[in-house]
Amino acid sequence: MDFQLTDEQRALRSELRALLSRRLDREMLRAGLDRGLWRELGEAGFFALRLPEEDGGVGLGLPEAVLLFEEAGRALLPGPLIATHLAAGVVEGAAEGGTVVAAPDGVLVEWLAEADVVRGDVTGAEQIRSIDPLTPLHRLPGEAADGSTESALLTAAEQLGSAGRTIDMAVQHAREREQFGQPIGAFQAVKHLCAQMLVRTEVARAAVYAAAVTGDPVEIVGAKLLADEAAVECARDCLQVYGGMGFTWEADVHLHLKRAWVRRERWPPTALALELQARALEESAAGIA
């Protein structure tokens, strides 16, 4: 399967990266959801990306959505992006960025209090302390219901973007930070960390891109598993490269780790994803037998 991006896909990704780089500075990132930026995302076609052109959308597909959500994860873009994207064409104003939409994902609901519209049953949702200070959370009572495979894939894309960003941060810091008269990137232990980050991320990238092309639910679950691991472990390794300064509020490294932890709990969380994968393997083996 060829995963080389087309010129149009590269341009789409570059345009969103430029928009986020221009609008989402460090102070704004820490301020939370920005309605002005939300509307700009709508104008840029972020939410209406997969709506047919005759319905006012861009008319593209899951592979392009994955590229944009990868950029969103890279930038730590706050807000219920996936819920609003999936509501485009269903909830008035969602496609244009004029309406912020929240929805349950597993047992969690992100940005419930800030949303204009809530899709799904959130009866009994209780606000909980979020490990990510920039992602407000509510928890639903009971067991997690089955979630959307599209939501799982877009979450995997966000995790992939976060992993890629922490690689860049680690490499840049390793080049600039000096110890014993030389950049710390010259030390073998740091080189190994960065190499492991790259391998982990590229494996996840292949899985996420493949799942975006096939749309297969089992492949999507596997892609999320790999992307969750890449995002969490790369953020941890990046923190190792940064040292103690990585935990300060001014640094973005710890925010990537905390956001990756939150995303990992979206449907399907790790334990359930492993169970679903095992069940699929059993069914496949039974079919062969």
Side-chain angles (χ1 to χ4, degrees):
M1 190 175 292
D2 185 5
F3 294 130
Q4 294 296 318
L5 303 183
T6 66
D7 291 341
E8 291 78 10
Q9 288 172 329
R10 293 180 188 277
L12 186 71
R13 182 177 64 181
S14 296
E15 288 170 7
L16 181 60
R17 183 175 296 190
L19 169 62
L20 296 179
S21 177
R22 183 177 70 252
R23 290 283 281 109
L24 194 61
D25 58 24
R26 181 169 294 177
E27 181 178 341
M28 183 177 173
L29 170 65
R30 286 155 175 76
L33 192 153
D34 182 274
R35 296 280 179 154
L37 176 56
W38 206 260
R39 287 188 292 272
E40 284 191 50
L41 289 170
E43 293 169 2
F46 184 90
F47 300 116
L49 186 76
R50 294 189 298 132
L51 279 182
E53 292 184 50
E54 56 267 26
D55 294 334
V58 183
L60 296 177
L62 265 179
E64 288 77 22
V66 160
L67 292 178
L68 294 194
F69 275 85
E70 185 179 348
E71 288 302 312
R74 178 183 177 86
L76 285 173
L77 182 60
L81 298 164
I82 294 175
T84 303
H85 175 84
L86 295 179
V90 178
V91 174
E92 184 177 356
E96 298 79 15
T99 302
V100 176
V101 181
D105 197 330
V107 296
L108 298 178
V109 190
E110 299 178 10
W111 299 92
L112 178 60
E114 290 79 2
D116 302 311
V117 174
V118 179
R119 299 181 70 197
D121 184 8
V122 293
T123 303
E126 179 183 1
Q127 186 169 9
I128 60 174
R129 183 176 181 181
S130 175
I131 194 168
D132 173 15
L134 303 181
T135 305
L137 291 176
H138 282 70
R139 184 178 181 86
L140 296 171
E143 298 295 325
D146 288 345
S148 160
T149 54
E150 289 185 345
S151 177
L153 179 61
L154 297 179
T155 295
E158 288 183 305
Q159 295 283 59
L160 179 61
S162 180
R165 176 57 181 151
T166 52
I167 292 173
D168 293 345
M169 295 167 69
V171 170
Q172 180 179 354
H173 187 75
R175 287 173 174 167
E176 297 174 351
R177 177 69 171 172
E178 292 191 0
Q179 288 289 339
F180 307 109
Q182 60 182 325
I184 62 173
F187 301 127
Q188 191 174 46
V190 176
K191 290 180 180 179
H192 285 176
L193 274 180
C194 292
Q196 289 167 3
M197 293 170 72
L198 179 61
V199 170
R200 194 183 294 124
T201 300
E202 290 307 310
V203 170
R205 186 184 310 282
V208 172
Y209 285 10
V213 172
T214 66
D216 182 84
V218 176
E219 292 187 12
I220 288 174
V221 170
K224 184 173 184 290
L225 269 173
L226 290 169
D228 285 341
E229 179 186 18
V232 170
E233 296 304 322
C234 284
R236 284 175 170 166
D237 287 347
C238 187
L239 275 170
Q240 288 293 316
V241 175
Y242 266 68
M245 67 178 295
F247 289 94
T248 63
W249 183 243
E250 290 76 15
D252 291 344
V253 186
H254 72 104
L255 296 178
H256 277 280
L257 178 57
K258 292 170 180 175
R259 187 72 56 82
W261 278 334
V262 170
R263 293 193 194 110
R264 188 174 61 181
E265 295 307 309
R266 293 178 186 166
W267 189 91
T270 302
L272 177 57
L274 289 170
E275 181 182 336
L276 292 172
Q277 287 281 287
R279 192 182 306 164
L281 287 172
E282 286 180 3
E283 292 173 355
S284 176
I288 293 174

